[in-house]
Amino acid sequence: MKNNVYTVKQVAKHLKVSERTVIRLIHDKKIKASKVGYTWRIQEKDINKYLNTYTNYAKEA
């Protein structure tokens, strides 16, 4: 099973929000992320978990 890893910038573009919003979600523990050096990395499964938990994204599909 392949699990892609994304940067804050990539997640922000995907969710159509600012990078600051993604960082806020990480600090609020709504999106799980790991810090590598000075940058955050977010796994695809954690993005999907956020979408299913905190949005109505899954319900629209």
Side-chain angles (χ1 to χ4, degrees):
M1 179 176 160
K2 187 176 180 183
N3 193 9
N4 296 324
V5 178
Y6 299 97
T7 64
V8 168
K9 186 174 188 172
Q10 292 170 318
V11 173
K13 185 175 179 180
H14 177 70
L15 296 178
K16 296 181 174 76
V17 298
S18 71
E19 292 178 38
R20 181 71 190 127
T21 299
V22 175
I23 291 170
R24 190 175 307 119
L25 292 169
I26 292 168
H27 285 286
D28 291 345
K29 299 188 185 328
K30 291 185 178 180
I31 294 180
K32 185 177 175 184
S34 299
K35 200 152 194 187
V36 179
Y38 294 103
T39 61
W40 289 101
R41 296 289 189 252
I42 302 108
Q43 292 186 18
E44 185 174 16
K45 67 180 179 86
D46 295 318
I47 298 167
N48 292 332
K49 184 176 180 182
Y50 167 76
L51 289 172
N52 289 327
T53 303
Y54 293 102
T55 69
N56 61 357
Y57 178 79
K59 297 171 188 133
E60 291 177 359

